[in-house]
């Protein structure tokens, strides 16, 4: 049985007492609040007290940031028409978002680099270019 049975109701029917819920359940979160609280207590200095709301708040922040990164990486995955999110998609998602880029300064293994070409290296219309044969031509004057 999921809970205790008790017979205090006037209709003499057996009702089941609700099962105790975990902290992440009543907070509406998917991240483990109890584990985060244990880690906060374990890593705090001089056994400082950690309130229950601190773990819930930390779990909510971690869950929100994870959902944000996964949403952006999923959009990048969809653009490239692949089925799995790999470290490259995470890297492009984090570096493509200005706020996440300032927040997450870590190196992502297997993420590669962000494509960037300096503006001084890009040919402008009307600028002389050197072809393979060594002859120069105008970009706008093709004929």
């Amino acid at each position: 049985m999921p809970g205790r049975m008790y017979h205090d109701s006037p209709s003499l029917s057996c009702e089941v007492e609700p099962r105790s819920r975990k902290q992440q359940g009543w907070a509406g979160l998917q991240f483990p609040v109890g584990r985060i609280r244990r880690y906060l207590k374990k890593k705090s200095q001089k056994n400082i007290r950690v309130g229950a709301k601190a773990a819930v708040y930390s779990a909510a922040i971690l869950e929100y940031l994870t959902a944000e990164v996964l949403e952006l990486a999923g959009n990048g995955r969809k653009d490239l028409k692949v089925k799995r999110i790999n470290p490259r998609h995470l890297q492009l998602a984090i570096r493509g978002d200005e706020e996440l880029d300032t927040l997450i300064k870590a190196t992502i293994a297997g993420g590669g680099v962000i494509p960037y070409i300096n503006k001084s290296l890009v040919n402008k219309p009307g600028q002389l270019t050197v072809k393979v044969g060594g002859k120069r031509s105008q970009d706008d004057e093709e004929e």
Side-chain angles (χ1 to χ4, degrees), residues 96-109:
D97 189 51
E98 185 179 336
E99 293 174 346
L100 285 175
D101 189 30
T102 57
L103 181 67
I104 302 172
K105 292 291 185 187
T107 302
I108 298 175

Side-chain angles (χ1 to χ4, degrees), residues 72-139:
L72 292 172
N75 293 341
R77 172 204 60 87
K78 199 179 293 184
D79 293 342
L80 296 173
K81 297 177 182 164
V82 293
K83 292 186 178 183
R84 292 183 183 172
I85 295 175
N86 58 25
R88 176 70 177 163
H89 300 133
L90 293 173
Q91 173 85 331
L92 291 174
I94 291 170
R95 302 299 169 234
D97 189 51
E98 185 179 336
E99 293 174 346
L100 285 175
D101 189 30
T102 57
L103 181 67
I104 302 172
K105 292 291 185 187
T107 302
I108 298 175
V113 296
I114 302 301
Y116 176 74
I117 300 174
N118 196 337
K119 292 182 180 181
S120 65
L121 299 175
V122 177
N123 289 336
K124 296 175 184 165
Q127 188 179 13
L128 292 176
T129 58
V130 178
K131 291 196 173 186
V132 178
K135 299 177 186 176
R136 292 203 259 182
S137 66
Q138 289 278 344
D139 282 343

Side-chain angles (χ1 to χ4, degrees), residues 3-82:
R4 285 189 314 198
M5 305 290 280
Y6 59 95
H7 299 281
D8 293 340
S9 65
S11 63
L12 296 176
S13 64
C14 294
E15 294 181 16
V16 177
E17 185 178 298
R19 183 186 288 185
S20 65
R21 294 176 62 179
K22 294 184 177 181
Q23 288 178 331
Q24 73 237 26
W26 59 258
L29 300 173
Q30 298 298 316
F31 270 51
V33 175
R35 185 180 302 171
I36 291 173
R37 181 162 191 236
R38 186 176 74 229
Y39 290 157
L40 284 173
K41 287 169 70 173
K42 185 177 172 183
K43 297 293 181 184
S44 66
Q45 297 175 0
K46 298 181 182 177
N47 295 330
I48 201 166
R49 296 193 323 178
V50 176
K53 290 182 181 178
V56 173
Y57 191 73
S58 299
I61 290 171
L62 290 173
E63 186 172 323
Y64 170 73
L65 289 174
T66 304
E68 188 73 23
V69 169
L70 284 177
E71 180 185 356
L72 292 172
N75 293 341
R77 172 204 60 87
K78 199 179 293 184
D79 293 342
L80 296 173
K81 297 177 182 164
V82 293

